[in-house]
Amino acid sequence: MASVSELYDVGWEEMRDKLRKWREDNCRNSEQIVDVGEELISDHGSKLGDDVWIIYEQVMIAALDCSRDDLALTCLQELRKQFPDSHRVKRLSGMRLEALERYDEASKYYEAILQDDPTNTAARKRKISILKAQGKTSEAVRELNEYLEQFVGDQEAWHELSELYINEHDYGKAAFCLEELMMTNPHNHLYCEQYAEVKYTQGGLENLELSRKYFAQALRLNNRNMRALFGLYMSASHIAASPKVGAKVKKDNIKYAAWAANQINRAYKMAGRGTKENKCSVKAVEEMLESMQITMS
């Protein structure tokens, strides 16, 4: 089988730069990282200088994603030799044990890190990930809440907590977590969209109106967000169909739903040019929108 460098006609410098770009962009394209990284450290490790250590870490994490324990262990052994007392390397050891479902052993690594450094956020998060993997959702929620009392600005933790609450159908608390995220990052269209979805799921006229508002905000921030566009259509349609709303509110929401339906049709027609399969998808969308059409009666 041809090597990566032969297949794509690239040198080791380009392979190194590609891995760096993936790290900077926080890409989790693990299979590609394994393909490029394994060849790079195997054939050109001596040329990488100090970059080799961060590449070992990057390749190891990708190898865990790909169930390549052989490669993960090779990278880990090199890192242990170079950094025998590193908390970061101990955390990687725990992550490998997690991938092997040896959760008790992994927890011991994280406990040891926290004894030396109680503020080590990465180790605390790994402990929570173990609780999630073991299906101990209530314990994971409790640990995350305790964590956020100390590290209230951790957006990743707030988002994780919202997901746990959603899985437990506790939509009120999930909405609170997403409100915290929107306060710290009001221009993130995904947070607006997720908040709108939670309010839509909660139901009731007041929540539906909030849902429509935040689906619209998500679209203002990213007009290509199709999920938010469908959400705007659904929420406006449900408000228009409610017997509790007056004639003006109904008329306004029919207008919003019609606008969203037109945008959805337009987007699918643009994407569906050329292939029979895509044209069938456009027809299915048109039929769905027609079946849900709200009238003025």
Side-chain angles (χ1 to χ4, degrees):
M1 183 177 175
S3 65
V4 172
S5 56
E6 292 172 340
L7 196 60
Y8 297 106
D9 191 25
V10 293
W12 70 268
E13 294 97 337
E14 288 87 354
M15 295 165 71
R16 177 201 60 197
D17 293 344
K18 178 61 73 175
L19 287 173
R20 181 186 295 126
K21 182 72 164 57
W22 286 335
R23 285 197 305 275
E24 291 171 351
D25 293 345
N26 200 28
C27 294
R28 191 135 185 179
N29 47 335
S30 300
E31 291 184 1
Q32 292 174 287
I33 291 171
V34 165
D35 289 341
V36 174
E38 185 175 19
E39 181 177 328
L40 186 62
I41 57 181
S42 174
D43 297 347
H44 308 286
S46 60
K47 304 173 185 175
L48 295 171
D50 287 339
D51 282 350
V52 72
W53 308 116
I54 191 67
I55 291 172
Y56 271 127
E57 180 182 25
Q58 182 181 12
V59 173
M60 181 194 163
I61 293 171
L64 294 178
D65 284 345
C66 298
S67 300
R68 282 287 309 277
D69 184 61
D70 58 324
L71 178 58
L73 183 57
T74 297
C75 295
L76 182 59
Q77 287 171 338
E78 293 298 326
L79 289 166
R80 280 174 176 165
K81 289 177 191 174
Q82 183 68 17
F83 310 104
D85 300 317
S86 166
H87 286 168
R88 191 161 170 170
V89 174
K90 287 178 182 176
R91 176 172 56 84
L92 292 171
S93 299
M95 289 171 65
R96 175 176 173 265
L97 292 170
E98 282 186 70
L100 298 172
E101 299 185 3
R102 290 156 60 180
Y103 298 123
D104 291 341
E105 294 173 64
S107 289
K108 290 177 182 177
Y109 273 101
Y110 304 141
E111 290 289 353
I113 294 170
L114 290 168
Q115 282 181 359
D116 291 342
D117 178 13
T119 64
N120 191 303
T121 59
R124 290 192 67 173
K125 287 181 178 180
R126 293 315 313 170
K127 287 186 66 182
I128 294 166
S129 75
I130 289 176
L131 293 173
K132 281 185 59 186
Q134 293 176 316
K136 299 177 180 178
T137 304
S138 59
E139 293 179 42
V141 166
R142 187 185 67 247
E143 288 287 336
L144 258 178
N145 274 299
E146 290 177 3
Y147 172 86
L148 283 165
E149 286 177 6
Q150 297 181 49
F151 305 100
V152 70
D154 191 327
Q155 294 186 32
E156 183 183 39
W158 279 113
H159 193 261
E160 183 63 36
L161 185 57
S162 76
E163 292 290 331
L164 288 174
Y165 280 134
I166 288 169
N167 291 339
E168 292 295 294
H169 309 294
D170 194 339
Y171 298 113
K173 291 179 180 176
F176 175 81
C177 295
L178 290 164
E179 286 165 3
E180 290 288 330
L181 286 168
M182 289 190 296
M183 280 195 296
T184 55
N185 196 345
H187 301 295
N188 187 312
H189 70 100
L190 294 175
Y191 294 158
C192 292
E193 173 211 305
Q194 289 166 350
Y195 181 73
E197 289 173 356
V198 168
K199 300 312 278 183
Y200 182 88
T201 304
Q202 283 184 285
L205 185 58
E206 184 178 347
N207 285 324
L208 284 172
E209 288 175 339
L210 271 173
S211 174
R212 188 202 64 209
K213 173 183 175 181
Y214 280 93
F215 278 130
Q217 177 64 9
L219 282 168
R220 287 190 193 100
L221 296 170
N222 179 4
N223 60 12
R224 295 186 178 183
N225 187 330
M226 287 298 296
R227 195 176 177 106
L229 195 55
F230 272 102
L232 177 62
Y233 176 80
M234 295 291 290
S235 54
S237 296
H238 276 81
I239 294 169
S242 173
K244 297 179 181 179
V245 301
K248 184 180 186 309
V249 173
K250 182 172 185 175
K251 182 178 180 180
D252 288 344
N253 279 278
I254 288 173
K255 181 175 68 175
Y256 303 147
W259 178 85
N262 287 334
Q263 295 301 310
I264 292 167
N265 263 320
R266 180 183 175 191
Y268 271 83
K269 285 176 180 175
M270 290 286 289
R273 289 176 178 172
T275 69
K276 183 178 179 181
E277 182 180 343
N278 282 338
K279 287 176 181 177
C280 290
S281 297
V282 172
K283 189 173 186 300
V285 170
E286 289 173 345
E287 289 174 353
M288 180 200 73
L289 295 173
E290 185 177 350
S291 70
M292 296 175 62
Q293 192 171 14
I294 306 298
T295 66
M296 288 295 291
S297 60

